[in-house]
Amino acid sequence: MADAGADPAVRDAGALTIPNALSVLRLIGIPVFLLLLFLWRNDAWALVVLMLAGFTDWLDGKLARLLDQQSALGALLDPLADRLYMLAIPIALGVRGILPWWLIALLIGREVVLAGTIPLLRSRGLTALPVLYLGKAATFALMYGMPMVLAGTFDNWVGTVMHPLGWAFLLWGTGMYLWTMVLYWYQTILAVRILPRAGR
């Protein structure tokens, strides 16, 4: 998602930190979610896994700042977990018929289009672009919208309440997600125009 980058001015706290442990826990949650959704057919517990993933996504960044435990590994793990969730969850919900494939195509297409910025940034000696708050807000909306849409399939009052809320979060998050794609490409073009090629 190109929504995170390490700040070279920040002290590297190393690999063994609480935020990194939470990111690893979030990564483990992906196969657990898929098993619950498809093999064990337990949507309620699959929903719990997604809710915990969204909470730990917020918590690891908060703790990294509060405990001064920001690290180069964390700068890789956190966006990696976000990317994998943003691929695995929509596809899984699409296979189950909960999300339409046009929406999934937009979300995955955004990732494919942003992948084109990577060689351009590396040609200028950059590994990532600065974090955009709007990108974080979009990820937040999507990470909460998808569990809400899953909850919206429940045949009770929870489903009745969560269905419209989930779609509101999803559509708003998708709009912001696509707009940040435009902003990241704009930043990439500026970097290519202004910065010399790496090694010169």
Side-chain angles (χ1 to χ4, degrees), residues 5-12 68 70:
D7 184 347
V10 175
R11 182 183 66 85
D12 192 324
D68 192 23
Q70 294 169 311

Side-chain angles (χ1 to χ4, degrees), residues 36-131:
L36 286 166
L37 198 66
F38 293 108
L39 184 61
W40 298 320
R41 289 283 177 169
N42 194 323
D43 290 359
W45 277 107
L47 175 63
V48 170
V49 171
L50 290 188
M51 292 173 65
L52 289 174
F55 176 70
T56 56
D57 185 31
W58 168 82
L59 185 62
D60 67 2
K62 192 76 171 177
L63 290 178
R65 292 185 292 271
L66 287 176
L67 302 177
D68 192 23
Q69 291 187 348
Q70 294 169 311
S71 66
L73 179 61
L76 292 174
L77 284 178
D78 184 51
L80 173 63
D82 286 346
R83 281 187 176 90
L84 290 177
Y85 267 97
M86 292 307 302
L87 289 173
I89 298 173
I91 291 174
L93 295 181
V95 171
R96 280 285 304 272
I98 297 171
L99 284 185
W101 286 103
W102 63 263
L103 180 63
I104 298 166
L106 286 177
L107 296 176
I108 295 177
R110 188 258 198 190
E111 298 299 321
V112 173
V113 170
L114 278 185
T117 66
I118 296 174
L120 294 174
L121 292 172
R122 287 180 177 171
S123 73
R124 289 337 191 242
L126 301 174
T127 56
L129 291 168
V131 177

